[in-house]
């Protein structure tokens, strides 16, 4: 059928098995073709084709609520709810979002991009349903990787306690973004190899009741016998002990099996877990055979060969520079230990793990645990490094405040994906970390101008002994600057002048340094003398250099690829106010809104952070200075 003609999933009600299987094949072909052009989350979506078809056949969305954990596996859901015609715009500026989006469709009832939120949201919806006395069903789809998140376990516990009618589909593909870790993962492994036991329990009870004379007495103990059978057939029945009816394991690529179990769950009172076994990348050999999970989220690729088309890159990846520097330093300091919450591959820590297998700890999707574990290591005179994405560090905020900074423990935070990240959109933009870290006592926060300065910052952070210290760095690759062979210690709180000038000062750092240097050249041609300062320490500020600017009555423009409220520019304003400086200050940064998906270049244009914008803002400052001089 023409997938782009689908308006809603109601047509599936009349589909038989053969038609569903044919549709599954067509959806896979559609996804493989469309994602080959610009990329996206291919592996997760190929793995849930039959599951999504079965869910929409058994339930009635949007009356029945589907909550997708993380949401990167919702492409099939989008196709079945009338959005196939928009797939050419997937993850593009003003195009179809790569995650569920409430304004896109009434079928998207929950927006997500971070893991482990689905069960809590589903519980809220189930409670609302019961208070409103409606009869809709609530279905949460969560992966085995997301189930390691503390929030998911808290929700599992509460749902089991309240006994609400709620269906949890555990999509078990043995992978999240990387191979899963943890004891719970091992429990699921034992379940995967066990026989189904629900049918066996029912058949046993029926058999017992048919036995003459003794049937009644035996039937009275049937429940205990069934429980014994449960423990006999399945090792570690974690979910039933929590109060759930457990169904499975179910073949996640057998539509009949899926429909049968979903229908049973729909009729069952109380919370139900359906344990579905799927294959990530199902139906596309390069993705299906992938062991490194490089097909979880991909860029463009050649369909026939599976060759991924990498954009031309000049310098090394920022993540790789951090990892390589950590590896170099770990050979010299056996106190260094690196912790990551399921981002070993994303943060390029694979080689570090090979070199130091006993000093790399992937704790799974557990950012809070990772942060406090680092604090615990620091109390024992170790040098813990928490390697974490900016957007995921948000989830460990209380632990940064309460467990690390309050005790002034020497934890190093290497904050990956700081700044705009592009196609993943508002849930992943790393633009809040300055605002939520800068105000915490004892915290040091810095960002290098390029990959070379970044390696020196890693070295400096590990030399630092006086408390928590964080290094921000962007997604992607450096500009190809020469890399120093000898690592140097950068004095804490020190800035550097990159270009001198007398009319105005541009204070910036990290990804916006090239923009400032480009603006300097344009301004110089128009007779404006700008001083470009690499304000590499966001906290503490270089108070000495700021006071020199105040003394020169130099207008200041701050530039940051981060939110303005509470950001670097705010810090400079606070410093000026504290020192009663009568100086003109302007700020450029991300306004008070969430930034959606699109290329970083396009997003910066939309919010007015470009070289032409910078030039105009600088000229306006110079004009204000001149007007102020005339008035005085």
């Amino acid at each position: 059928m023409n997938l782009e003609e689908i308006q809603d999933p109601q047509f599936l009600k009349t589909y038989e098995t053969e038609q569903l299987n044919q549709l599954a094949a067509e959806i896979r072909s559609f996804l493989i073709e469309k994602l080959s052009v610009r990329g996206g989350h291919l592996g997760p979506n190929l793995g849930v084709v039959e599951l999504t078809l079965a869910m929409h056949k058994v339930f009635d969305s949007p009356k029945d609520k589907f909550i997708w954990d993380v949401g990167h596996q919702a492409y099939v859901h989008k196709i079945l709810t009338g959005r196939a015609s928009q797939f050419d715009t997937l993850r593009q500026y003003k195009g179809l979002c790569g995650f569920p989006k409430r304004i896109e469709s009434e079928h998207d009832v929950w927006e997500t991009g971070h893991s482990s939120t689905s069960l809590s949201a589903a519980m809220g919806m189930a409670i609302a349903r019961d208070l409103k006395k409606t009869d809709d069903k609530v279905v949460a789809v969560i992966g085995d990787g997301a189930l390691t998140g503390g929030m998911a376990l808290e929700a599992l516990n509460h749902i089991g306690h309240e006994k609400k009618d709620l269906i949890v589909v555990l999509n078990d593909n043995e992978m999240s973004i990387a191979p899963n870790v943890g004891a719970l993962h091992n429990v699921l492994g034992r379940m995967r190899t066990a026989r189904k036991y629900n049918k066996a329990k029912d058949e046993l009870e029926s058999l017992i009741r048919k036995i003459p004379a003794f049937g009644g007495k035996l039937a009275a103990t049937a429940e205990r016998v069934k429980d014994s059978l449960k423990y006999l057939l399945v090792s570690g029945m974690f979910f039933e002990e929590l109060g759930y009816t457990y169904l499975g394991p179910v073949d996640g690529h057998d539509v009949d099996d899926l429909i049968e179990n979903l229908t049973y769950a729909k009729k069952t009172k109380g919370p139900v877990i359906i344990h579905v076994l799927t294959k990530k990348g199902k139906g596309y050999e390069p993705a299906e055979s992938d062991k490194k999970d490089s097909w979880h989220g991909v860029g463009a690729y050649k369909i026939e060969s599976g060759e991924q088309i990498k954009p031309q890159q000049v310098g090394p990846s920022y993540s790789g520079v951090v990892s390589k520097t950590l590896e170099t330093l770990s050979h010299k300091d056996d106190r260094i230990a690196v912790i990551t919450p399921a981002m070993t591959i994303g943060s390029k820590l694979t080689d570090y793990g090979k070199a130091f297998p006993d000093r790399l700890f992937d704790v799974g999707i557990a950012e809070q645990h990772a942060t406090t574990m680092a604090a615990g290591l620091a109390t024992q005179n170790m040098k813990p490094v928490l390697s974490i994405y900016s957007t995921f560090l948000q989830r460990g905020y209380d632990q940064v405040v309460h467990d690390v900074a309050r005790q002034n423990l020497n934890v190093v935070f290497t904050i990956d994906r700081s700044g705009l990240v592009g196609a993943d959109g508002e849930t992943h933009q790393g633009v809040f970390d300055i605002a939520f870290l800068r105000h915490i006592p004892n915290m040091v926060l810095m960002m290098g101008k390029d990959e070379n300065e970044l390696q020196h910052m890693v070295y400096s952070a590990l030399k630092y002994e006086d408390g928590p210290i964080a290094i921000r760095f962007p997604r992607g690759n450096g500009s190809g600057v020469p890399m120093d062979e000898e690592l140097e210690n950068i004095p804490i709180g020190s800035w550097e002048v990159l270009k001198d000038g007398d009319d105005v000062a541009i204070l910036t750092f990290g990804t916006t340094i090239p923009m400032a240097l480009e603006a300097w050249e344009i301004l110089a041609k128009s007779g404006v003398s700008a001083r470009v300062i690499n304000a590499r320490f966001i906290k503490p500020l270089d108070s000495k250099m700021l006071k020199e600017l105040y003394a020169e009555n130099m207008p200041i423009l701050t530039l940051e690829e981060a939110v303005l409220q509470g950001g670097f520019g705010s810090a400079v304003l606070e410093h000026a106010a504290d020192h009663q400086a009568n100086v003109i200050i302007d700020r450029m940064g991300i306004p008070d809104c969430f930034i959606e998906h699109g290329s970083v270049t396009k997003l910066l244009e939309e919010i007015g952070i470009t070289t032409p914008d910078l030039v105009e803002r600088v000229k306006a400052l110079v004009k204000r200075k001149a007007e102020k001089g005339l008035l005085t």
Side-chain angles (χ1 to χ4, degrees), residues 446-506:
M446 55 184 167
M447 186 173 194
K449 66 178 182 288
D450 53 37
E451 60 267 36
N452 185 47
E453 188 167 56
L454 175 59
Q455 67 170 344
H456 295 307
M457 284 188 167
V458 174
Y459 176 77
S460 303
L462 285 161
K463 286 291 184 184
Y464 185 70
E465 299 281 354
D466 296 332
I469 185 166
I471 311 163
R472 306 177 80 238
F473 55 96
R475 182 178 188 173
N477 289 60
S479 56
V481 299
M483 301 290 285
D484 297 331
E485 292 186 11
E486 292 294 323
L487 296 173
E488 298 177 359
N489 192 38
I490 302 173
I492 300 297
S494 65
W495 295 350
E496 65 172 348
V497 176
L498 300 178
K499 295 288 185 180
D500 212 348
D502 302 320
D503 294 329
V504 64
I506 303 172

Side-chain angles (χ1 to χ4, degrees), residues 61-346:
S61 175
K63 177 190 174 185
D64 295 330
K65 311 296 187 294
F66 293 168
I67 302 103
W68 304 91
D69 204 282
V70 182
H72 55 218
Q73 77 285 55
Y75 292 6
V76 185
H77 168 76
K78 290 186 181 234
I79 291 169
L80 296 175
T81 52
R83 286 170 275 179
S85 62
Q86 301 173 54
F87 261 71
D88 288 335
T89 71
L90 181 70
R91 290 159 47 95
Q92 303 301 302
Y93 181 68
K94 300 297 184 184
L96 194 66
C97 182
F99 298 94
K101 191 76 172 171
R102 295 177 71 199
I103 61 171
E104 274 186 13
S105 171
E106 63 181 344
H107 296 275
D108 291 4
V109 299
W110 180 250
E111 293 184 10
T112 182
H114 287 182
S115 118
S116 313
T117 66
S118 62
L119 303 186
S120 297
M123 184 57 166
M125 293 179 196
I127 291 171
R129 173 201 61 203
D130 293 349
L131 290 173
K132 293 191 294 184
K133 296 181 170 54
T134 58
D135 62 353
D136 45 293
K137 302 297 181 182
V138 179
V139 184
V141 182
I142 186 168
D144 49 325
L147 205 59
T148 65
M151 187 174 174
L153 297 176
E154 291 171 17
L156 271 179
N157 180 56
H158 186 222
I159 294 166
H161 173 74
E162 293 288 343
K163 306 296 183 187
K164 291 290 180 184
D165 290 348
L166 194 157
I167 298 167
V168 178
V169 176
L170 174 54
N171 176 29
D172 183 358
N173 59 26
E174 301 186 63
M175 296 278 280
S176 49
I177 296 177
N180 291 322
V181 298
L184 183 56
H185 174 65
N186 295 332
V187 169
L188 294 177
R190 290 194 295 273
M191 290 183 185
R192 291 181 204 110
T193 60
R195 294 167 51 200
K196 292 183 196 176
Y197 66 91
N198 283 289
K199 184 176 181 182
K201 286 195 297 184
D202 293 340
E203 289 176 350
L204 179 66
E205 182 177 15
S206 175
L207 179 64
I208 290 172
R209 290 186 181 278
K210 291 177 182 177
I211 298 175
F214 296 103
K217 188 178 294 186
L218 286 172
T221 62
E223 287 303 314
R224 280 182 291 167
V225 173
K226 285 196 293 179
D227 276 345
S228 298
L229 180 67
K230 171 183 68 180
Y231 286 105
L232 174 66
L233 293 180
V234 180
S235 171
M237 280 316 305
F238 175 78
F239 299 113
E240 291 217 353
E241 290 296 334
L242 282 175
Y244 293 76
T245 298
Y246 173 85
L247 305 177
V250 179
D251 183 347
H253 303 295
D254 183 327
V255 289
D256 288 335
D257 204 6
L258 287 164
I259 290 168
E260 177 186 349
N261 281 275
L262 287 167
T263 302
Y264 183 85
K266 186 177 180 180
K267 298 175 182 177
T268 302
K269 298 297 293 180
V272 180
I273 290 269
I274 307 179
H275 186 182
V276 178
L277 305 184
T278 60
K279 178 69 176 176
K280 208 167 182 180
K282 177 73 172 179
Y284 183 52
E285 199 281 330
E288 195 169 336
S289 61
D290 178 30
K291 300 302 181 186
K292 297 180 179 179
D293 215 38
S294 57
W295 287 90
H296 172 81
V298 294
Y301 57 90
K302 297 178 181 178
I303 296 175
E304 296 77 12
S305 64
E307 178 188 350
Q308 296 188 28
I309 304 169
K310 300 290 186 182
Q312 189 171 5
Q313 297 165 338
V314 179
S317 72
Y318 289 105
S319 303
V321 168
V322 172
S323 179
K324 185 177 180 180
T325 307
L326 288 173
E327 187 177 340
T328 298
L329 296 172
S330 293
H331 283 292
K332 302 172 183 177
D333 189 345
D334 59 11
R335 297 181 302 153
I336 296 172
V338 180
I339 304 164
T340 182
M343 290 293 119
T344 298
I345 296 172

Side-chain angles (χ1 to χ4, degrees), residues 256-452:
D256 288 335
D257 204 6
L258 287 164
I259 290 168
E260 177 186 349
N261 281 275
L262 287 167
T263 302
Y264 183 85
K266 186 177 180 180
K267 298 175 182 177
T268 302
K269 298 297 293 180
V272 180
I273 290 269
I274 307 179
H275 186 182
V276 178
L277 305 184
T278 60
K279 178 69 176 176
K280 208 167 182 180
K282 177 73 172 179
Y284 183 52
E285 199 281 330
E288 195 169 336
S289 61
D290 178 30
K291 300 302 181 186
K292 297 180 179 179
D293 215 38
S294 57
W295 287 90
H296 172 81
V298 294
Y301 57 90
K302 297 178 181 178
I303 296 175
E304 296 77 12
S305 64
E307 178 188 350
Q308 296 188 28
I309 304 169
K310 300 290 186 182
Q312 189 171 5
Q313 297 165 338
V314 179
S317 72
Y318 289 105
S319 303
V321 168
V322 172
S323 179
K324 185 177 180 180
T325 307
L326 288 173
E327 187 177 340
T328 298
L329 296 172
S330 293
H331 283 292
K332 302 172 183 177
D333 189 345
D334 59 11
R335 297 181 302 153
I336 296 172
V338 180
I339 304 164
T340 182
M343 290 293 119
T344 298
I345 296 172
S347 288
K348 303 288 191 295
L349 290 167
T350 305
D351 287 343
Y352 183 91
K354 290 176 182 176
F356 300 99
D358 58 339
R359 286 200 265 165
L360 175 64
F361 300 92
D362 186 339
V363 300
I365 300 173
E367 296 87 355
Q368 294 172 299
H369 165 60
T371 307
T372 300
M373 175 178 156
L377 277 163
T379 65
Q380 303 305 303
N381 197 36
M382 297 293 286
K383 297 289 290 188
V385 177
L386 177 54
S387 176
I388 190 168
Y389 289 11
S390 172
T391 186
F392 299 148
L393 183 57
Q394 294 166 189
R395 315 189 93 190
Y397 173 76
D398 179 62
Q399 288 66 34
V400 175
V401 174
H402 184 274
D403 300 332
V404 178
R406 188 182 57 82
Q407 300 185 81
N408 200 31
L409 295 173
N410 192 202
V411 174
V412 176
F413 296 87
T414 56
I415 308 175
D416 201 345
R417 270 67 166 177
S418 291
L420 295 173
V421 298
D424 280 339
E426 56 193 316
T427 57
H428 284 62
Q429 312 285 17
V431 298
F432 300 107
D433 55 81
I434 292 176
F436 72 70
L437 290 176
R438 186 179 68 79
H439 67 160
I440 301 174
N442 300 324
M443 181 64 69
V444 172
L445 180 59
M446 55 184 167
M447 186 173 194
K449 66 178 182 288
D450 53 37
E451 60 267 36
N452 185 47

